[in-house]
Amino acid sequence: MKYSGMPAGMWMIFKKSFRNALADDLGYDYSDANRITKSAKPKYRKIIEKLPGFEKEDRFKTNIVNCALLTAFLLNMDRRPSVEEATRYYEHAMTNKATKIFCRMGGKKKFTDSDIEGMKKTAALRAGDRNPYSWNMDYLPYNDGSGYEARFYTCGICALMKEYGFYDLVPAMCHLDYTMSELGGASDFVREYTLASGGPYCDCGYKKKGLV
């Protein structure tokens, strides 16, 4: 994957919040946070450039870039965080002003015809068959009309974090699904299984707000 373009832009958007969360959530002083951030940038670029290119229609490119961001910082931390610490760190690092705007915009489109059509196209694409760092999913509408489930059978985040020795911290990224759904304001997120916890699949359920 080329570093120029979206991956480079994501670094610019999130480097400050990832740095600040080192101090606010993991207890680093700001000089150490700056040092870790400086070291994480070339590592992030190296991770990105090792990844295969994503198909134009693959909507999950952003997910793997976010994973590369977290992985780059984890590789340069002075100590390995616990799952609980990593969960808190990643949530606060990712939920900056740009993410909140993005989630509100997404919330306005949730459950619209274009949203549902996009889910169906993603399910049909099965990009994970050709790219081990992408995802395969099924689109499963709820029979009562209350929303839908995206059910994942392969996970690029699992593949990338396993490669770099952080598979046990995948749940820290999974938790962000709840946060982003809440920020969107249109859905309540529900889940029973994750691949990272040994489940048969990852179920990402979106119930129309107020119907859970």
Side-chain angles (χ1 to χ4, degrees):
M1 184 190 296
K2 293 182 179 179
Y3 176 75
S4 59
M6 188 267 278
M10 293 289 278
W11 176 264
M12 294 301 297
I13 291 169
F14 289 105
K15 65 176 181 179
K16 183 177 179 180
S17 55
F18 270 76
R19 181 200 65 195
N20 291 348
L22 287 169
D24 296 342
D25 296 300
L26 298 182
Y28 289 95
D29 61 40
Y30 277 92
S31 62
D32 285 333
N34 284 328
R35 169 180 54 81
I36 293 168
T37 303
K38 184 177 180 179
S39 298
K41 183 177 182 180
K43 180 62 70 174
Y44 168 65
R45 180 166 187 160
K46 186 175 181 180
I47 294 170
I48 290 293
E49 291 178 342
K50 279 186 63 180
L51 292 170
F54 272 55
E55 297 169 58
K56 184 178 180 180
E57 300 84 3
D58 193 339
R59 67 192 291 164
F60 296 116
K61 180 178 178 179
T62 301
N63 298 59
I64 205 67
V65 169
N66 292 344
C67 183
L69 266 170
L70 177 60
T71 301
F73 275 86
L74 289 171
L75 287 168
N76 287 281
M77 290 180 188
D78 296 343
R79 65 176 182 86
R80 186 188 187 94
S82 66
V83 175
E84 292 76 15
E85 289 174 320
T87 300
R88 186 171 60 250
Y89 170 74
Y90 184 65
E91 179 178 2
H92 293 161
M94 284 299 300
T95 52
N96 62 8
K97 184 177 180 180
T99 298
K100 291 175 181 177
I101 292 172
F102 171 81
C103 288
R104 285 197 295 270
M105 291 174 59
K108 292 177 181 178
K109 299 177 182 178
K110 201 71 175 174
F111 308 118
T112 62
D113 290 345
S114 62
D115 172 49
I116 293 170
E117 185 62 26
M119 296 298 292
K120 290 179 178 178
K121 287 181 178 179
T122 299
L125 182 63
R126 295 189 62 83
D129 287 345
R130 299 171 295 281
N131 183 346
Y133 301 100
S134 190
W135 283 255
N136 284 344
M137 57 158 276
D138 287 338
Y139 164 72
L140 303 171
Y142 294 132
N143 292 331
D144 60 2
S146 63
Y148 59 77
E149 176 185 312
R151 182 174 293 182
F152 294 89
Y153 302 97
T154 63
C155 171
I157 286 171
C158 289
L160 186 64
M161 296 195 79
K162 183 179 291 184
E163 181 178 340
Y164 287 92
F166 296 113
Y167 186 71
D168 59 309
L169 299 182
V170 171
M173 296 196 69
C174 299
H175 177 77
L176 194 69
D177 291 330
Y178 292 90
T179 304
M180 294 187 73
S181 178
E182 187 65 28
L183 290 173
S187 62
D188 290 303
F189 187 80
V190 293
R191 167 179 283 151
E192 185 174 1
Y193 302 111
T194 64
L195 291 168
S197 62
Y201 48 75
C202 289
D203 52 323
C204 296
Y206 298 91
K207 291 271 190 176
K208 293 176 182 177
K209 202 73 174 173
L211 295 184
V212 173

